[in-house]
Amino acid sequence: MRELNQLYTIWYDELRGSDYGLVGKKNANLGEMLHAGIPISPGFAITIHANHDFIEKTGIRSKIETLVKKNGEATDENIKKLSKAIMSEIESADIPSEIEEDILENYHRLCEKCNLDAVPAAVRSSGGVSMPGQMETYLNIRGDKDLIHYIKRCWSSSYNVEAIHYRVNRDMSVLFNIGVGIPKMVHSKVSGVIFTLNPINGDFSKISIDASYGLGEAVVSGLVTPDTYLIDKVTLELIKTKIGSKEIKCVYETYGSDIKKIDVDDELRKKSALTNQELTYLSETAVKIENYYGKAYDIEFGIDEDLPFPENVIVLQVRPESIWNKKKDMSGKAGKPADVMNIILNNLISGIKAG
Amino acid sequence: MAKKFLDPHEVKPILGTEGWEEMYPFYYQFSKTDKERMEYESSQLWFYDGLHYPEPHYPFDLIWDEAWYLALSQYNTRVFMVPPAKGIDHRIVNGYVYITPIGIADPKEIESRIPLFQKRAGYYYENWDKIYDKWVDKTKELIVELENISFPDLPEIEDESIVFDSKGLSSGYNLGIKYDELINMGFKIWQYHFEMLNLGYAAYVTFINTANEVFPDIPMHNLTKMVSGIDTVMYRPDEELIKLAKLAVTLEIDSLIVSQKKFDTLAKELKKSDKGISWLNALEKARYPWFYISTGTGWYHHHISWNDNLDIPLSSINMYIEVIKEGKNPSRSTEKLIKERDEIVEKYINLIKNEDQRNAFEETLKIARRVFPYVENHMFYVENWFHSVFWRKMRELAKIFANNKIIEDAEDIWYLNRFEIKSLIDDMVRAWATGIIPAGRTYWPEKIKNRKVIIKKFQEWTPPPALGTPPEVVNEPFTIVLWGVTTGVLKNWLRSLEGTTSEKITELHGSPGSAGIVEGKARVIRTVEQLDQLEKGEIMVAPTTSPSWAPVFTKITGAVTDVGGPMCHAAIVCREYGLPTVVGTGNATSVIKTGDLIRINGNEGTVKIVESR
């Protein structure tokens, strides 16, 4: 039996957060989210070990070492030259067949799972150390040839100028292997944003969902008036629905990662973008995310066209809600027992605010 | 949008009802002579109390309105000194009762009432359970007293005990006295009714407000769920029926029972066997007091109780037997309901991060739960049990009038008001004493004949939801919780006022009564008698409903009412039955026609007419 650290690929559902040493942080986090019951796009990680064996077996590793030694002082000029040389080495090399075959076999499994010939995937770098934004992510990659090409681009991106700078400045080794993530591109027929509270009044017992057709771009950047739903967090009942006008939707151009805007049919515009079943599932997911992180969260999601329910409900991104979390943090300290008589009195005098 | 409702003095009379005013006390009329009073009347918002009165008032039936007019108002204004709220004023228009809450505007006056309220209401809140126990005792005592009153016909010859016990009082004199006693008991029970109710609502409303501050969007029905009792007296009658149905199955006499629609013929059959007798005994035991549940709300003389007509509970028992035979258990699972309630409370409380808020939430919930058994249960004792016995006593009395040929039929009595009945008795006993023909013999039947026409015309009239001037904001707690009259509801009413003149209304707004969305055929039900028109799967559209319409709720798929807030009977019962419900739409019974295809959204409180008949 092979050891985990000898594997070239590991599916997200087999990963946990503590596995960042094997696959990088981003990949490990996805595994952790899945484990917490948060649905993410299906896919697998290419391990740091794969990157390691690739540069080892192709002889790139010794070339890098030589290049680094030759390089001398870490001037901008030198680092630029070094980066260019290493990146071209990586991109022009062939991946050893045992690694390539492993990756492709898993990619084919992903295709099968999604019922597509060449499923569009993202190729995302995932370092063992956070270096935010310094490594590349490629969207909408389809087919064996492109996949392999962009995996190499991804590996080489850890030697771009900024990345080398970053490491050199921190006394880290220039040589740096990373993990790569291959999730299915979410082909959102509907997407939107969830708050695990009502962002309008800060009601923590509510979940608010905005949704519209197509990619999340339309909702996030306010290109359309989305449908809005308010759901009770405790009972998961739908309290309010407001159907938005949803004039347009954003979709990917057939090839590449460019986005185009197209009109939505009148008939569809009048309909609720989400089904009750999807709403309930999204609400359950939102509660899981909030419980997992322990505070109110802001969640981007998509409903994937290629997958059956409930696998089609996919969380794209999560971040802590920024306004009400802070406001409600000032939890009153010395909680005096409330004087009910006074509360009743005040209520009678000030009257009912509702309605 | 219109700014005002029709001025109450400008409501058009209905042709053919001339002189209707004399059917009701003079103080129920909108003034025609007192300028100051007229000005006051025009400046108030008067809303039609369809929650209690889906039909126009028969002259005698107004007694209950008179009773609560006095009782509710006095406790607010003079007894507990509720700081910002005085009583609720009443008027009658074309037979329909309109009410208006009287607030206190002067901050100094409010201020001066606060210490008194704190002391007096505080005493009740602190000793609530004890006072409630006492309340139940004295209410039951009053009902016993009521049961003991009897109205024997006037004798040809007085019993000799009058002489030999030297009583010194005649049956004729006594009849008048007993009638007074009966009426006074009616008013007395309503004094009791409001002894605790206003404070109960105040505590409940406070919880609602506190919860709304923490959770502004919390659905009202979840709040109700948090405070509702599970084993409440109001559910007992129905539970007794289920027990009887189960017993019938156990005793293997269920097929005999199901085969009979008339209780009298069934009883004859049952008496032939031991098993039958023991079932009848169980039924007899359940009847007192649980079959004193009214088939309506108890407010009208024709809202008879199960005890008045055993065919009614029998049909429900039969229905439950069928359910049991299908292998289902018709009982409410109290354990499940309690667990559900506790879970909801815990989950909401866990969401409150701020400790002060959590304290306020927990404390107000506690007091709301303390007062709630009274809020839920008083209805059985007063509107159901007491009223049912009261109506029966009135019928006994009416029989004497009919026997003496002063009225043609005992059931004509309801067309005379309580003052007129007193004078009818005065005339009758004088004629009896003197040995002559009573003057009322032609006087009353003539009036009754006219009034039958008038009431019929009133029934065909649709009272506008409100009259007069709406306030800037509605903040009288009882108006909001019970009648569902909020600022928003008034706006909708004003809007629909315009709709009736220009375009056809296709959407109605009310309060969410019970969650869920349903589409179906509408059936407009205005009176209890129309209930049997309902067909399975229809949506009931009614002025209001009663919890004792139990069999109906198993038939319909949803309900819409003209009047009522989230705490009204209809909303509570529909939540129990899981039926999507919209309450307080203002005028659903006049806008929606039987046969219309409607879609009701009980989450949002909207009703859409999808297809007009």
Side-chain angles (χ1 to χ4, degrees), chain B residues 31 82 165 174 179 207 224 229 239 243-244 255 340 346 359 362 380 389 435 439 523 528 539 562 570 613:
Chain B
S31 180
V82 174
D165 295 345
N174 279 338
Y179 172 71
F207 167 65
T224 321
E239 278 162 17
K243 267 197 246 167
L244 286 165
S255 41
E340 223 178 77
E346 198 194 318
N359 264 334
E362 283 174 336
F380 178 75
V389 178
R523 170 80 58 184
V528 192
I539 296 172
D562 286 346
R613 180 185 50 138

Side-chain angles (χ1 to χ4, degrees), chain A residues 198 201 203 205-206 230 232 237-239 241 331-333 336 340-341 343-345 347-349 351-352 355, chain B residues 84 114 117-118 205-206 209 213 215-219 221-222 348 353 355-356 359 367 475 480 488 603-604:
Chain A
N198 183 348
N201 55 25
D203 186 337
S205 68
K206 298 294 160 305
L230 197 66
D232 192 89
E237 60 199 308
L238 183 59
I239 295 166
T241 307
S331 41
K333 294 164 262 159
K336 274 182 287 172
V340 185
M341 196 60 213
I343 303 179
I344 292 176
L345 196 58
N347 263 282
L348 281 172
I349 292 170
I352 282 199
Chain B
I114 289 177
F117 175 76
Q118 275 177 317
V205 166
T206 299
N209 272 358
E213 257 167 50
F215 304 121
D217 303 307
I218 193 164
H221 57 257
N222 286 350
Y348 276 111
K353 307 251 153 57
E355 220 172 297
D356 287 344
N359 264 334
I367 196 155
N475 59 8
I480 294 174
N603 309 322
E604 293 172 18

